[in-house]
Each structure stands twice: as C-alpha cells, then as structure tokens.
Amino acid sequence: MWMLAPFALAGKLLSALRKPLGSLWGSVVPWFFWLRSALWLAGGKNTRLPPPRGQGERQESRGEEEEGPDLPTAPTSVNYHFTRQCNYKCGFCFHTAKTSFVLPLAEAKRGLRMLQAAGMEKINFSGGEPFIHDRGEYLGKLVRFCKEELRLPSVSIVSNGSLIRERWFQNYGEYLDILAISCDSFDEQVNVLIGRGQGKKNHVENLQKLRAWCRDYRVAFKINSVINRFNVDEDMREPIKALNPVRWKVFQCLLIEGENSGEEALREAQQFVISDEEFEGFLDRHNEVSCLVPESNQKMKDSYLILDEYMRFLNCRNGRKDPSKSILDVGVEEAIKFSGFDEKMFLKRGGKYVWSKADLKLD
C-alpha cells in the first residue's frame, strides 16, 4: 500500500494547482497530513516524528531533576535534651537519668551555632529537667545566646516547673518564646501516683503560679500532658480552658526500649500504657478544647529531631534510641542522616506552627 504513495501524491498536487490560489492552502493542508500518515505506515509503528524544538531538552531536564539526589534534611526544629538529670520520678519517662553528663557551655554554643547554620529555626531545651543544672543559669545563658546571637525565631523550654523562680524570668524571660510545663493531671493524688509528687509542694498550685509569671513577662504558656493508665478517664476541659495555654500537647504514653522498657531501663512503663482506642476516647472527650494538639505513638515516634546530652541525634525507629555520632565531631549534615527523622510526619502532625511570641497574641 505504501508503494502507491508517490502516485497518489502527484495526483493530489495536480488537483490542488487547478484551484484558485485562495483555496490552495485549504487543499495543501489535508494532503500534508495524508503524506505524514503514509510515511508512518512505511516506517512501521515504532517510527516517531521528532519533538518540537526544545521540548525534548525540557523533558530530559525534568527527568534528571526527578532522579537527582535528595536534598539534605534541614534541622528546622530541634529538641536538645542537654541533661538527663531530674528531680521527679515519672514512671513513664522516656529520657531517663542514664548519665549525669552536661556539655561545657562553650561546646553547647558551638553545636547550636552549627545547627543554626544548617537551617534550625526553633530550639527546644528539655531534659531530664532543664532547670536542675546550675539552678537554671546554664539554661538561661543558652536561651539568651539563641535569641540574641543566633537570632532564632523561636526558643522554647519543656520543664516540670518545680525549680523555676521568678528571678529567672526577670533575667531571661525576654529571650524565651514558649514555656511548656508538663502536667498530666489536675488531681494531685494522680500526680503523686505518676511520680510528679514532691512532698508538700503541690504541682497544680505551682502550675497556676507559672501561668501568671508567663503572662507578666510575656512568655507564651504551653501545657504538655502524657495520657496514661492513671489519667485516661479524667476530664481536663475546664482546668485547661481556665489556664488558656497557646497549645495543649496531648501525648499517648510511649514505650522506648532501654529507657522505660526492657532489662536495661531505669523505668518500667508497661503499667502506664493505654490502647489506641483509649487514647482516641480521651481525645473525643476533649475535642471542644481549641488549643488541643494530639500526638499518638505513630505520630510521635519518628517526627522529632532529638539531640542527647552529647549532641547526638537519637533514632527511635526501632523502638529504642540509637545515637548518631555527635554533630560536634562529624557535622550536622552527616549526623542527621542517622536520625531516623520523618519530615513528612513532622509537618503532618503540625510540627511547624506560629512559634515566635512576636507573632502570638499573648494578651
């Protein structure tokens, strides 16, 4: 069939030339497409016309971009547990006092500067209890350094609140964006069962005092609660609304081998564990609380960048905390490869939010 194409073409040309010039274009276009179809039949089904100029290059370029290497993970939000020491004995604690080591201040600042250069926007200081070392002065100097010299958008602390004094706010409150206080119950007897009791000191009464100081010194106030066997049936709606925190982080009790579970652990948290259904029941009961931010075990496990007291990233993917090498020795980009960090889950759980007090309506 395709061998007849030249004769058919000649016939079509003669027919077209007999027509007035005004209609010539209308005749040429159809036989051009007829010719292209004929040549395709001659060359077989695998014959392809070349792409329009530049299109092939663009497609190839897109393919190279899609197959290129992944960009390094940026440590946007980092949790620095610079001490493991604590004055409480919470039975479910998953970062226990396995060492008493704390980095010299100059080395801690060097590591924080490295993190800021790698893309850190928020630092959260935690423990253990961060106010226990040097009566909070070490922590205060780090907070001031991060805000004044590194110019970080957000500097926050997680504390049990028992060792904080108003003088600390007077000296360092202006440099702190968020203070998160751990409070698992508004029943003092439940706090004692959990391990937050300190003799005559009332954890709930102290919480009220800290709330007032945060208001006075313009620090955003946040509450963290671990939902466990002893508080899963508690109704916390009214106390939380009265305290009016900017965020109420509600965690499901989590087992970490070597920390609160297993032969080498300093805690045994099995008695505190609740099911996913029980956790969801607690959330449903409190769904009217607008500041509630829920974090199940699934969301929590791999969505935090955690640095230990040696500035090693802790990988929790296998249900335990496997440390990387210290960023002080190998740099941030190399150490973070072993962090097990799930950036998609970090964003999905709302890990990035309005976290600078300059952007928060603290009044």
Side-chain angles (χ1 to χ4, degrees):
M1 175 182 171
W2 62 268
M3 295 180 66
L4 299 176
F7 301 103
L9 174 60
K12 286 184 176 288
L13 281 171
L14 288 172
S15 175
L17 291 172
R18 290 193 192 102
K19 295 183 179 182
L21 288 174
S23 62
L24 181 59
W25 179 250
S27 300
V28 170
V29 171
W31 65 252
F32 171 78
F33 285 105
W34 175 86
L35 174 61
R36 190 172 73 165
S37 299
L39 292 174
W40 180 80
L41 286 171
K45 292 183 179 179
N46 291 328
T47 303
R48 292 185 180 178
L49 293 175
R53 186 175 180 181
Q55 181 175 320
E57 289 87 342
R58 287 197 301 272
Q59 289 176 343
E60 188 175 330
S61 174
R62 280 200 301 269
E64 288 175 358
E65 289 175 0
E66 290 171 1
E67 295 174 6
D70 293 334
L71 293 173
T73 300
T76 307
S77 177
V78 177
N79 297 273
Y80 178 25
H81 296 249
F82 66 83
T83 179
R84 284 178 171 268
Q85 298 300 301
C86 187
N87 58 326
Y88 277 7
K89 292 180 170 55
C90 302
F92 48 70
C93 179
F94 47 78
H95 199 75
T96 54
K98 301 178 79 171
T99 76
S100 58
F101 180 80
V102 177
L103 273 174
L105 187 64
E107 283 294 275
K109 287 182 177 180
R110 180 167 74 91
L112 291 168
R113 194 180 293 279
M114 293 168 66
L115 288 162
Q116 186 267 345
M120 180 174 68
E121 298 175 17
K122 179 180 186 291
I123 182 70
N124 178 53
F125 295 105
S126 188
E129 170 48 49
F131 282 87
I132 201 169
H133 184 67
D134 195 23
R135 298 184 178 182
E137 284 300 303
Y138 179 95
L139 172 62
K141 290 171 183 176
L142 289 181
V143 166
R144 181 172 181 169
F145 171 77
C146 287
K147 185 59 74 172
E148 214 174 37
E149 296 193 38
L150 299 186
R151 305 282 182 179
L152 293 184
S154 183
V155 179
S156 68
I157 297 171
V158 174
S159 167
N160 63 37
S162 64
L163 302 176
I164 304 177
R165 303 292 179 261
E166 187 175 8
R167 184 174 180 80
W168 192 94
F169 281 93
Q170 294 169 348
N171 293 335
Y172 303 109
E174 65 180 293
Y175 310 109
L176 183 64
D177 290 275
I178 303 170
L179 175 64
I181 300 298
S182 299
C183 180
D184 306 311
S185 176
F186 291 92
D187 181 336
E188 192 60 23
Q189 293 305 311
V190 174
N191 284 321
V192 171
L193 286 172
I194 288 171
R196 291 200 189 277
Q198 270 203 314
K200 295 181 180 180
K201 184 173 287 189
N202 187 296
H203 188 77
V204 178
E205 289 178 4
N206 194 53
L207 187 70
Q208 303 285 349
K209 181 172 62 177
L210 291 165
R211 179 67 183 100
W213 286 342
C214 283
R215 187 180 295 110
D216 293 343
Y217 293 94
R218 297 192 59 77
V219 174
F221 181 70
K222 177 180 168 186
I223 296 176
N224 287 354
S225 299
V226 178
I227 308 309
N228 60 83
R229 178 58 51 207
F230 296 101
N231 66 1
V232 67
D233 296 321
E234 186 173 337
D235 188 344
M236 304 185 190
R237 287 175 291 184
E238 293 309 314
I240 292 293
K241 288 178 185 178
L243 287 164
N244 192 28
V246 294
R247 281 162 75 85
W248 178 32
K249 289 284 284 291
V250 175
F251 303 94
Q252 182 180 1
C253 182
L254 177 66
L255 293 179
I256 297 290
E257 185 181 344
E259 297 284 353
N260 62 10
S261 175
E263 293 182 1
E264 299 179 4
L266 299 182
R267 298 279 188 275
E268 181 48 66
Q270 191 62 50
Q271 62 174 321
F272 293 90
V273 173
I274 59 173
S275 67
D276 294 346
E277 291 75 20
E278 287 174 306
F279 184 65
E280 288 299 322
F282 182 91
L283 298 179
D284 289 342
R285 191 164 63 254
H286 294 83
N287 62 7
E288 68 186 63
V289 181
S290 60
C291 60
L292 188 153
V293 181
E295 291 201 6
S296 64
N297 288 346
Q298 182 183 7
K299 286 183 179 179
M300 182 178 165
K301 189 175 63 171
D302 305 325
S303 63
Y304 283 84
L305 273 175
I306 301 174
L307 280 178
D308 72 0
E309 63 274 23
Y310 302 99
M311 283 200 163
R312 304 177 300 184
F313 286 111
L314 298 178
N315 186 330
C316 301
R317 289 209 163 187
N318 296 316
R320 58 181 185 272
K321 291 182 174 179
D322 297 320
S324 69
K325 292 183 179 179
S326 174
I327 66 169
L328 298 170
D329 297 328
V330 300
V332 176
E333 186 175 335
E334 182 62 26
I336 205 170
K337 293 177 184 177
F338 302 93
S339 65
F341 179 59
D342 186 339
E343 194 166 16
K344 290 182 180 178
M345 184 58 78
F346 165 75
L347 295 172
K348 184 178 179 181
R349 71 167 172 82
K352 194 163 186 177
Y353 57 95
V354 181
W355 52 30
S356 171
K357 68 179 177 182
D359 300 323
L360 290 166
K361 297 178 181 179
L362 298 183
D363 295 334

